Amino acid sequence: CIIVDVFCFFVVIFCLFFVSCFWCFSGQMTDLLFMEKDLVSSLKDYIRAEEHKLEQIKKWADRLDVLSSAATQDPEGFLGHPVNAFKLIKRLNTEWRELERLVLRNMSGAFISNLTIQRKNFPNDDDQTGAAKAMMRLQDTYQLDTNIISTGELPGSSSVASLTVDDCYDLGKVAYSEADYYHTELWMVQTLKQLDQGETSNLVDAITVLDYLIDSAYQQGELERELNFTKRLLELDPTDQQVNWEMKDIEYELFNQKKVEATEEAEGRQRRKSRGRPDDDLFHMRKYEQLCRGEGIRMTPRRQSRLFCRYYNNNRHPRYVIGPVRQEDEWDHPRIVRYHNIVSDKEMEKVKELAKPRLHRSEVVGEETVHFRISQSAFLRAYEDPVVDKINQRIEDITGLDITTADDLQVANYGIGGQYEPHLDFRQKDEPEEFEELGSGNRIATWLLYMSDVPAGGATVFTEVGAAVQPIKGTAVFWYNLFPSGEGDYRTEHAACPVLVGSKWVSNKWIRERGQEFRRHCGLQETD
């Protein structure tokens, strides 16, 4: 029993950590795209087979139509010929039976078999909900109008993909099921707008949409909007007495509310509005989202004048004396530097190839889904491939730090709305000493390699200092997480902004304290 319990425990842990996530991994999304293409090809084969069968039936019917039309004009004369009589008996006894078999022949076998095989790879309801919530996250972070998203005219996108009225309705329903009445209202208003523009739907009508809108406005405490939606509903069905009564109740409540507001205003108090996203009061998250939009970046002319580009050889390192690397200052305090053309396209493709089979969702799922980090990641060890070993060595040569105690190379892929909210790479003093057993110490520095360009979104932002670093394929950024004293540098709090358009591939190396005693001198001051 104990063995069984232990086995079940590990199965549960595996399920919690290695949860499927189609929408947060562009590699799996690509697989789905090709799987759908294969299904369409299989469906077309089935259609051709059905069309061929129907063509045979049609020819048979046309032939008999001509024959029976002529025969029924003079039945006795027609049947007076022994050949015609014989052929009539033969047709009804044999040929119609063959036709019956042809009509009953199932041409869908191959298609249904393929569909059944592929169905196990289909996304489920949770994946669809996750993708919808990712859309709303992008909408909030980049302050996108629902109409912009619906028409598909996203910034940085070279292609246009629009949402139908049914798509908008589904997004609104997902928000409603999550008790997110703010987004419910936004998407149901868009649904109503597209219905008003003449778009047809097989799923929903204006009355259903207005029901959602009325309840969403009510849940947000917005009586005026609730009243407007109710009036619109009454226009569609003036005879509905229930709606009439509800409208009168809302008007009464609104009248009382305005009286209270007038009294409070006279007393100099400001009534707090209930509308808005739940996170609007979180200054930290607002700052993060502003930086993702390119707002609030604290790059002043004075700071810019202290940032330079140079050729760097790490104190005449033998590998870089003749061919130094291009180093660019991204920020001064804390110092963040970028290295250009640090890996080749071939090396990056190899890293992706090694990581793809092992990518799993980076977030942990328990009783509630945590959206702190939404991506898929995998760890690669140096011995797995010479390319990984080469990249590790390059990190050591350029940074001058010992990487024998560093974490394995982590590869991450961010798909639809993929993000990593503000966090610190080092462990704080009030956190459990999870590195004690390893004896490798805290994360002294971070090396972050961008393995793809991102058309829109996906920046790395440092929320405490107002810095934003854009992903550029083949470049790596580096910074110290700890001061020389060993104390954590809270200015290095950073986040990965949601990917708006495209797919973001990164790999990172967390370098540990142990082994750096003679490579980065200790100091008592908390300075760079």
Side-chain angles (χ1 to χ4, degrees):
C1 291
I2 293 173
I3 294 173
V4 172
D5 289 343
V6 171
F7 174 78
C8 291
F9 171 78
F10 280 107
V11 168
V12 170
I13 294 298
F14 181 87
C15 292
L16 290 176
F17 279 82
F18 294 86
V19 65
S20 172
C21 174
F22 288 103
W23 50 273
C24 60
F25 170 36
S26 65
Q28 277 187 314
M29 294 293 286
T30 303
D31 293 341
L32 290 180
L33 199 60
F34 282 101
M35 181 183 72
E36 187 175 51
K37 182 181 178 183
D38 177 64
L39 286 172
V40 170
S41 176
S42 179
L43 180 60
K44 285 184 175 180
D45 288 341
Y46 161 63
I47 292 169
R48 280 192 290 269
E50 288 286 5
E51 285 175 342
H52 178 68
K53 184 177 85 170
L54 288 172
E55 188 62 31
Q56 288 180 285
I57 296 170
K58 186 175 181 299
K59 286 180 180 177
W60 203 88
D62 290 343
R63 179 172 61 86
L64 285 187
D65 185 43
V66 172
L67 181 64
S68 60
S69 294
T72 52
Q73 288 179 3
D74 181 13
E76 289 189 10
F78 179 82
L79 293 173
H81 197 296
V83 171
N84 287 337
F86 167 75
K87 290 182 74 173
L88 175 62
I89 298 297
K90 178 177 177 289
R91 278 199 306 276
L92 292 171
N93 182 53
T94 306
E95 294 181 19
W96 275 96
R97 196 179 301 162
E98 290 174 359
L99 179 65
E100 182 183 11
R101 283 197 291 268
L102 176 62
V103 170
L104 293 175
R105 188 185 303 165
N106 186 0
M107 311 303 293
S108 63
F111 169 67
I112 295 299
S113 176
N114 189 21
L115 184 63
T116 303
I117 292 168
Q118 298 287 11
R119 187 176 283 118
K120 66 179 184 294
N121 299 316
F122 280 16
N124 56 28
D125 289 343
D126 289 339
D127 289 306
Q128 185 173 334
T129 299
K133 289 164 79 172
M135 293 274 283
M136 295 171 207
R137 185 162 51 252
L138 291 174
Q139 181 180 7
D140 292 340
T141 303
Y142 298 106
Q143 293 186 341
L144 299 172
D145 183 76
T146 49
N147 193 59
I148 294 282
I149 299 175
S150 182
T151 55
E153 297 172 355
L154 298 176
S157 177
S158 58
S159 60
V160 177
S162 59
L163 294 174
T164 65
V165 65
D166 292 338
D167 294 331
C168 295
Y169 176 63
D170 284 337
L171 284 166
K173 282 203 303 180
V174 168
Y176 189 83
S177 69
E178 297 286 319
D180 180 357
Y181 304 111
Y182 171 74
H183 286 109
T184 301
E185 184 177 347
L186 290 178
W187 283 105
M188 288 303 176
V189 165
Q190 181 64 31
T191 304
L192 195 60
K193 177 182 176 181
Q194 291 182 211
L195 284 171
D196 289 343
Q197 290 171 346
E199 191 174 336
T200 57
S201 168
N202 296 321
L203 297 178
V204 66
D205 55 27
I207 291 175
T208 305
V209 175
L210 284 165
D211 283 338
Y212 276 105
L213 284 169
I214 291 167
D215 191 51
S216 297
Y218 167 76
Q219 295 290 347
Q220 295 176 86
E222 292 294 339
L223 293 175
E224 200 157 339
R225 292 208 304 279
E226 184 185 359
L227 179 61
N228 291 335
F229 293 137
T230 305
K231 286 179 178 177
R232 174 74 191 274
L233 183 59
L234 202 56
E235 288 173 9
L236 296 176
D237 187 4
T239 61
D240 194 324
Q241 291 301 316
Q242 180 68 31
V243 177
N244 262 303
W245 294 333
E246 288 173 359
M247 188 177 73
K248 286 179 172 50
D249 287 341
I250 298 167
E251 287 174 337
Y252 179 72
E253 287 182 44
L254 188 59
F255 174 75
N256 288 334
Q257 185 186 81
K258 286 181 177 179
K259 277 177 61 178
V260 172
E261 285 176 350
T263 304
E264 289 179 343
E265 189 175 343
E267 295 174 358
R269 295 199 301 266
Q270 182 63 41
R271 185 175 184 271
R272 188 177 177 182
K273 293 287 184 182
S274 61
R275 185 188 181 190
R277 292 174 54 218
D279 287 345
D280 277 352
D281 293 331
L282 300 177
F283 173 74
H284 204 58
M285 287 304 296
R286 285 209 307 270
K287 190 161 60 171
Y288 155 58
E289 292 180 351
Q290 285 173 348
L291 288 170
C292 289
R293 294 192 297 271
E295 302 169 5
I297 297 173
R298 301 178 200 161
M299 179 59 75
T300 62
R302 184 179 178 184
R303 171 169 276 129
Q304 186 71 59
S305 69
R306 296 196 294 265
L307 306 179
F308 299 95
C309 295
R310 64 189 68 82
Y311 284 104
Y312 179 77
N313 60 22
N314 193 18
N315 295 321
R316 299 183 62 78
H317 190 285
R319 284 192 174 92
Y320 298 105
V321 171
I322 296 177
V325 295
R326 288 167 54 203
Q327 185 190 68
E328 177 187 1
D329 295 330
E330 287 282 353
W331 208 256
D332 51 357
H333 302 294
R335 189 171 185 232
I336 305 167
V337 295
R338 187 196 295 267
Y339 297 98
H340 290 266
N341 301 320
I342 208 67
V343 289
S344 66
D345 286 345
K346 187 176 179 181
E347 288 172 325
M348 287 185 282
E349 289 308 311
K350 185 63 180 178
V351 169
K352 292 178 193 177
E353 179 190 322
L354 293 168
K356 279 179 182 178
R358 283 180 281 171
L359 285 170
H360 60 82
R361 193 171 181 177
S362 301
E363 65 174 9
V364 179
V365 177
E367 292 180 2
E368 295 181 0
T369 303
V370 180
H371 297 291
F372 180 72
R373 184 176 190 182
I374 298 176
S375 66
Q376 293 215 343
S377 61
F379 285 91
L380 301 180
R381 297 187 174 182
Y383 63 77
E384 294 185 49
D385 193 275
V387 167
V388 181
D389 189 38
K390 224 175 185 190
I391 290 173
N392 286 341
Q393 187 60 55
R394 203 169 297 156
I395 295 170
E396 180 166 324
D397 294 342
I398 291 172
T399 64
L401 298 176
D402 187 347
I403 64 156
T404 55
T405 59
D407 292 11
D408 293 327
L409 189 70
Q410 184 185 38
V411 182
N413 176 233
Y414 297 82
I416 305 170
Q419 66 169 6
Y420 196 167
E421 290 183 0
H423 63 283
L424 294 161
D425 282 351
F426 65 87
R427 292 297 178 240
Q428 302 166 64
K429 286 183 176 179
D430 58 349
E431 292 179 324
E433 292 293 333
E434 58 183 83
F435 307 132
E436 279 186 357
E437 292 182 11
L438 298 174
S440 56
N442 214 336
R443 292 169 177 166
I444 191 173
T446 296
W447 171 279
L448 178 62
L449 170 66
Y450 298 111
M451 299 194 295
S452 66
D453 292 313
V454 182
T460 304
V461 295
F462 291 76
T463 49
E464 290 300 306
V465 296
V469 178
Q470 299 302 322
I472 301 174
K473 186 178 182 181
T475 70
V477 291
F478 173 79
W479 67 87
Y480 281 102
N481 297 306
L482 306 179
F483 289 111
S485 64
E487 292 296 319
D489 187 348
Y490 286 86
R491 298 172 303 173
T492 62
E493 182 182 79
H494 59 286
C497 295
V499 175
L500 178 57
V501 177
S503 172
K504 180 182 175 184
W505 282 91
V506 297
S507 61
N508 64 278
K509 194 82 171 171
W510 286 307
I511 303 171
R512 303 285 186 171
E513 287 179 290
R514 300 295 176 261
Q516 319 308 336
E517 293 82 0
F518 299 103
R519 300 197 181 209
R520 191 199 192 202
H521 297 297
C522 297
L524 299 178
Q525 301 298 319
E526 291 189 2
T527 57
D528 294 328

